[in-house]
Amino acid sequence: SNILVETAGLEEQLQGWGEVMLMVDKVLRWERAWFPPAIMGVVSLLFLIIYYLDPSVLSGVSCFVMFLCLADYLVPILAPRVFGSNKWTTEQQQRFHEICSNLVKTRRRAVGWWKRLFTLKEEKPKMYFMTMIISLAAVAWVGQQVHNLLLTYLIVTFVLLLPGLNQHGIISKYIGMAKREINKLLKQKEKKNE
């Protein structure tokens, strides 16, 4: 299928990043108990440095893109020296395949949502317009109430903790609790109406 072809292509592109991706995957999925506080510590330190340096938006974006370019060039060269040139185990190869497959699925979902948005624009322009205006107004209001750097820090921390929260069933647990509470409220309302 197309997903398998895309996954194989992505695996080929990211082969030089394989060892790093497997290590990051272990950290993001909290394979050790100290990984979550370590993630928060590193993110907090990084944002404290940004807060202290207080770069302009253009400087910040330039430094970030420069860091990505350096990483893209250096990681495939340095990774074999750091991690050794040992052949991967079947388990490592399988996990790398799963990571690439998940990345392809995530990209497809994002494209799907984007297409749905344009379909909504064509089929129900008024609903599209109202949804966009309300959503953007809400985001603008939140941005006005919370400092940009703090908001970015909270978003980045949440996104980095999300795989671990998902892996350990914390998200599904709280979603289940929320659903049960909503069902209780709905049942109470039904009883009152009767």
Side-chain angles (χ1 to χ4, degrees):
S1 67
N2 287 338
I3 291 177
L4 288 171
V5 173
E6 284 180 50
T7 303
L10 192 63
E11 280 179 42
E12 199 175 321
Q13 286 172 13
L14 298 174
Q15 200 62 50
W17 283 78
E19 288 89 352
V20 175
M21 284 173 70
L22 288 172
M23 187 181 70
V24 170
D25 176 62
K26 284 179 182 178
V27 174
L28 292 180
R29 288 191 298 123
W30 306 355
E31 286 203 357
R32 294 190 183 174
W34 58 270
F35 282 162
I39 291 168
M40 292 185 75
V42 170
V43 173
S44 300
L45 180 65
L46 182 65
F47 274 85
L48 276 171
I49 292 166
I50 293 167
Y51 178 74
Y52 177 74
L53 295 173
D54 193 25
S56 66
V57 174
L58 194 61
S59 299
V61 171
S62 297
C63 288
F64 180 68
V65 173
M66 186 168 64
F67 172 76
L68 288 180
C69 289
L70 277 168
D72 189 42
Y73 176 70
L74 292 172
V75 167
I77 296 168
L78 297 176
R81 293 178 187 181
V82 174
F83 296 100
S85 55
N86 298 330
K87 284 190 174 181
W88 282 11
T89 62
T90 311
E91 192 184 336
Q92 285 175 313
Q93 190 64 51
Q94 182 61 34
R95 186 62 205 151
F96 181 63
H97 175 76
E98 283 171 18
I99 294 165
C100 290
S101 179
N102 288 338
L103 287 171
V104 167
K105 285 172 188 171
T106 304
R107 185 171 64 188
R108 284 189 155 218
R109 273 191 216 111
V111 171
W113 279 104
W114 190 251
K115 283 179 180 174
R116 277 193 207 107
L117 199 64
F118 279 95
T119 305
L120 184 68
K121 184 184 174 183
E122 287 171 13
E123 293 176 0
K124 298 175 182 176
K126 285 180 183 175
M127 190 179 171
Y128 165 83
F129 176 74
M130 288 303 293
T131 306
M132 290 301 287
I133 294 296
I134 292 165
S135 303
L136 293 170
V139 170
W141 181 81
V142 171
Q144 195 64 33
Q145 301 303 312
V146 186
H147 190 276
N148 284 342
L149 197 62
L150 176 62
L151 193 62
T152 309
Y153 168 73
L154 292 171
I155 291 166
V156 169
T157 305
F158 177 73
V159 167
L160 291 177
L161 291 176
L162 193 60
L165 290 167
N166 204 26
Q167 177 74 17
H168 290 266
I170 296 165
I171 289 174
S172 55
K173 178 188 169 185
Y174 282 102
I175 287 172
M177 283 169 66
K179 280 180 181 175
R180 282 195 296 274
E181 290 300 317
I182 290 163
N183 286 335
K184 278 181 190 175
L185 288 169
L186 289 171
K187 282 175 184 175
Q188 283 174 3
K189 279 187 179 180
E190 282 174 12
K191 284 178 182 177
K192 283 179 183 178
N193 291 334
E194 285 172 3

